[in-house]
Amino acid sequence: MDKSKRLFLKSKQSFRRSLSPIQSGDRIDYKNMSLLYRFISQQGKILSRRVNRLTLKQQRLITIAIKQARILSLLPFVNSLPFVKNEKKKFEKSESTTRTTTTVLKKKTVLKKKTVLKKKKK
């Protein structure tokens, strides 16, 4: 074949459908925590359908089940999930240390002043 004719032919690449993360035996239910944890991000958000590779019906059922589990306190609304590694945030750590050191220093100076005043009175 000529190169000019080859340009218009479609490539014959095989299309492979990705398997659904939910097997036929899995039941989408608010009590099935191991299944629900797979569809929640580290921040505690529900992952999108595109990321989950679910059908529209499955995504709706998963979303409803997660919301029901949150209402019944089986799942948290925010990031305090036991399976997620709790990464220490730098900004929180620095804020807490600066607050405690300033308050401790203020308390020490107040105590020193009180003791000095007591000694002067004697």
Side-chain angles (χ1 to χ4, degrees):
M1 271 190 162
D2 295 344
K3 284 185 180 181
S4 60
K5 290 183 181 179
R6 256 191 257 161
L7 293 174
F8 297 106
L9 291 176
K10 291 182 180 178
S11 63
K12 294 183 180 181
Q13 294 177 350
S14 63
F15 175 73
R16 189 174 196 179
R17 184 181 292 175
S18 61
L19 296 173
S20 176
I22 298 177
Q23 284 78 28
S24 60
D26 286 339
R27 197 167 168 210
I28 301 174
D29 195 16
Y30 69 93
K31 294 179 255 181
N32 192 353
M33 301 307 291
S34 60
L35 178 71
L36 297 181
Y37 279 135
R38 286 191 264 165
F39 302 107
I40 298 176
S41 69
Q42 289 183 349
Q43 298 171 339
K45 296 179 182 179
I46 300 171
L47 294 173
S48 69
R49 187 178 149 223
R50 181 174 46 91
V51 174
N52 288 337
R53 297 176 292 135
L54 296 174
T55 63
L56 184 63
K57 188 174 184 179
Q58 288 173 335
Q59 180 69 22
R60 282 191 192 134
L61 291 172
I62 286 288
T63 304
I64 291 168
I66 289 172
K67 288 180 180 179
Q68 286 175 342
R70 283 177 176 168
I71 290 170
L72 294 171
S73 301
L74 299 173
L75 272 178
F77 283 92
V78 291
N79 180 19
S80 60
L81 303 175
F83 69 94
V84 176
K85 295 178 186 175
N86 290 330
E87 297 176 10
K88 296 178 182 177
K89 296 181 181 177
K90 294 178 184 177
F91 65 90
E92 285 182 4
K93 200 172 190 180
S94 64
E95 281 181 322
S96 64
T97 54
T98 55
R99 285 182 186 165
T100 54
T101 54
T102 55
T103 54
V104 169
L105 289 175
K106 286 179 184 177
K107 287 179 183 178
K108 284 183 181 178
T109 54
V110 169
L111 289 174
K112 285 181 183 178
K113 288 179 182 177
K114 285 182 181 179
T115 54
V116 169
L117 290 173
K118 285 180 183 178
K119 286 181 182 178
K120 286 183 180 179
K121 287 181 182 179
K122 289 182 182 179

